[in-house]
Amino acid sequence: MSRKSSNESILHTKSSLNMYATPAQTNLNISPNLGNKEPGMSKVQVTINDNNLKEENFSNAQLEFKLGIKDLEILKIVFDSFQNDQEELYQLNKEEFVSVLNNNLTIGTEPEYEELFDNIDVTQSGYVDWDKFTNYLLIMLYESDDKIKAFSIPNWKPVKNIYNLHRDSIKRIEYAKNLTRYLTISKEGTCCLFDRNLNMTNHARIHTDSCRTKDLWVTDFVHLQNANKIVLALTTKEITIYELNTKLEFNCQYRIHNLRATPLCLDYWFDPNNPNDSILTWGDTAGCIHKIFFNSATISLFERPATNANDMKNQNKPNDTSLDISINEIKEKYKNAVYVNYRAHNAWVRQVKWINNLDAIVSCATSNKQSLTIGWFVKKSSQIKVTHMNVSNGGVNGFDYDENLKIIATANQNTLVNLFNPYVHEPNGILKGHSAMVLAVRFMPARSQLITFSADRLIRIWNVQLQICIQRIPNIFPKGPDVDTSCFYDESTMRFFIAFRYTLLMMEIKPEITDRVMSHSNSVVCAKYNKNMNQVVSVSQDGTMYMWLLESGQRVKTFSELHDNYEVITMDFDETKTRILTAASDGLIKIWDLNGNCYHKLEANSGQNCEVGQILSLKRRIVAVGWQKAITIFRDNMMNNNIVKPTDWKGKEEHDEDILCADIMLNPPLLLATGGFDGDIVIWNSVTEHPIRHLSARKRVLSAKIWLKEPSMAARTSKNYKSLGRRFSKIEPVVDTERFIKQNDFGFAITCVKFLNTRTHGKSCNLVSCGGNGWVRFWEAYLES
């Protein structure tokens, strides 16, 4: 390695490690939706999870990890000053090396400099030059970077069930880069396309002339990224190749027939530097492995023969554009394709994969013998050397290969996972932990980790280097009979797809935030400032509440599991700022003091679960809205018991849909505003609890109802109600340039209303609202004179 490339690599590695040196929240707790930490885990793993790898006690770290980019630049200048235009690098002995570091660095001690010299000079030559110094740093930093990635436990988002139209086992999941779509095909021939947001954009049934559509049985498929085609293996003992586009028209271009056995599994590889060179491999029910090498894949997989006039007429007929290719004629008839085959197993081949850096095909079967085989292709000859790896006690359901680690991982039927060096017959690692047959394995190359899935619906994440389980995720699928399983890991998005029959699930790793400190381990739903204590109180969905000093940001108090396992929705203070009100999806509103003691539980929906959207503390009353059309109120005279029932709101129902938000005007005339799902805003007199005005955001010209005096119930029900002094006026928002646009239902929803309490009576724009349509509106909420 040259000095320049070595220096650039060190600076790049240093920069990447600096991200891990930033204080960050430790992801020690696994999401309750996905499982818990593996019992009986080694102490090493737990210590690493406690931020000791990401942020080892800096004062106790080795000197090479303390050196920053500025330190390396200074040392480079000093080392160059000894050069004096010599061709060979100047070598420093131990005394000179210690003196250079002691005079130019502000960190470290002389014993540390001497220890560093001894670590660099492993050959004990007594001298160190700049190349030896930088190469040692590079190796140490890369090893540290690999350890950080390997020991970082994935923090998964909740499992997402992806809607699809498959009615049988999904054979494979792939990502088509040129279409920016995820692609799935099931056993009955249904193909589904999904966008990056996992919304299904199109679907279609695949057809072939060799059998009826209802008799079609797909055993596997593979996508040709460089040629924009898909290859299907069918039980009719043929392989069909279709053109792929977003319309899913499935025009068959090639049909390889006369196969001696049914193809079961496929694999495709192409050279990224020369996309014309590609290799298609498959395994069949006879235990044979087949390989076709294409040298003009982007132009044409197979050369079309010259056609005469009669052939030209036939090509104009529909469904007659495909090229039929006999497997026995490829060697003689097609110059741009080379076909070879060999027998590798004495049972059905379950998976096959071409590994280019090995020039070999790896395949597996579920037989007790010859369950994992490597077919080595001897260059410049047609010979194939077959090697059988030693997998004891049972067959192999599947495998995966990591190019960085140069390791093959196998999913064994005997509940074990073997790790093989391709050049060694015996496994160099055995992962024990599953209690049922392992169905699939997938590497996460960037993290140096392995995902395994077993027949008892259990997922495990392994540290490959230490060969220990770092995460256990149970109950992904419901219990039931064993069926086909396929999985796919998208390295670019860190998404893991797994199909269990026709059910398609996706697990996504949360991005690791290293540039700021995380205050909560879950979404923050509300944060309020307490001016009496000069503190900020925040609460998250999982029911964790923190109190922070505003000036220093220090956390002073922590309260957890405020509402057991129910999701916390909102929070507020009472008028005295000495009580905290929290509401959750169980329909309970709890009143706490600043020490975390719960005094009252308010049943907002008579003990039934409901969504409490907002709570407000009025004078001697608590108002709750969110799940119904009426306002729920709790009065102080009912706060004698621990469980408090709601009382009636005098104004009855004025909203036609659920009330989503509310706010109170602190200055006279003490108005209350409530916003509904249908876009209506109602202004109330908070003292009399009667409505004053209706505002609507559903159209540009808004009508409002105004009562000069409250009519009696008898008057309300009389036929002459309009003549009793009720008048109407047209009110428009003060600031609203919106053009009338048809919207969906949520587009009308008022999600937040807020009074501008500093605006005195007579000034406009004292009420602000916003909602699902993305508009912010300013209203005049005072009564007209």
Side-chain angles (χ1 to χ4, degrees), residues 26 55 65 183 233 242 303 483 546-547 582 615 622 726 748:
T26 304
E55 195 183 343
F65 297 110
L183 174 67
Y242 297 84
E303 291 178 345
V483 291
Y546 294 143
M547 294 185 182
T582 59
I615 46 180
I622 295 175
R726 186 184 185 193
F748 299 127

Side-chain angles (χ1 to χ4, degrees), residues 627-697:
W627 71 99
Q628 60 180 2
K629 304 173 186 178
I631 298 175
T632 300
I633 186 169
F634 302 88
R635 306 185 190 276
D636 281 358
N637 56 7
M638 303 294 293
M639 299 286 182
N640 298 324
N641 301 321
N642 181 258
I643 304 296
V644 181
K645 302 291 183 179
T647 58
D648 293 334
W649 175 261
K650 297 177 183 178
K652 306 301 179 183
E653 290 186 6
E654 291 292 335
H655 285 276
D656 295 329
E657 296 289 345
D658 293 346
I659 303 173
L660 303 184
C661 56
D663 192 37
I664 184 71
M665 179 184 289
L666 302 179
N667 304 319
L670 301 179
L671 301 180
L672 174 68
T674 56
F677 183 81
D678 57 354
D680 283 347
I681 300 174
V682 179
I683 309 297
W684 308 77
N685 185 320
S686 64
V687 178
T688 64
E689 300 180 3
H690 290 301
I692 298 174
R693 174 178 296 185
H694 281 238
L695 307 173
S696 179

Side-chain angles (χ1 to χ4, degrees), residues 698-731:
R698 282 175 292 180
K699 53 187 177 180
R700 192 166 185 268
V701 179
L702 306 147
S703 59
K705 312 172 195 175
I706 302 175
W707 285 273
L708 295 182
K709 64 177 183 178
E710 181 66 18
S712 63
M713 182 58 67
R716 282 176 178 268
T717 57
S718 67
K719 296 181 180 180
N720 299 324
Y721 177 53
K722 293 184 179 180
S723 62
L724 294 177
R726 186 184 185 193
R727 62 186 178 88
F728 295 87
S729 62
K730 298 294 183 180
I731 303 289

Side-chain angles (χ1 to χ4, degrees), residues 111-122:
E112 289 180 318
Y113 302 150
E114 294 176 355
E115 181 182 359
L116 178 59
F117 182 89
D118 294 334
N119 292 335
I120 299 173
D121 186 23
V122 291

Side-chain angles (χ1 to χ4, degrees), residues 294-306:
F294 301 101
N295 56 28
S296 60
T298 59
I299 303 172
S300 177
L301 294 178
F302 297 95
E303 291 178 345
R304 291 184 175 270

Side-chain angles (χ1 to χ4, degrees), residues 437-470:
M437 176 174 57
V438 185
L439 299 177
V441 292
R442 284 296 180 273
F443 277 104
M444 294 189 287
R447 305 176 68 91
S448 298
Q449 295 173 352
L450 178 69
I451 305 175
T452 61
F453 178 69
S454 58
D456 56 355
R457 284 68 167 170
L458 181 67
I459 290 179
R460 288 179 180 267
I461 313 297
W462 304 83
N463 180 310
V464 179
Q465 295 178 353
L466 291 184
Q467 301 179 13
I468 61 173
C469 178
I470 61 175

Side-chain angles (χ1 to χ4, degrees), residues 4 65 127 132 186 299 322 375 421 437-438 458 496 620 636 657 736:
K4 181 177 180 181
F65 297 110
Y127 297 95
K132 288 184 178 180
S186 51
I299 303 172
S322 62
N421 182 328
M437 176 174 57
V438 185
L458 181 67
F496 178 64
R620 295 185 296 274
D636 281 358
E657 296 289 345
D736 185 6

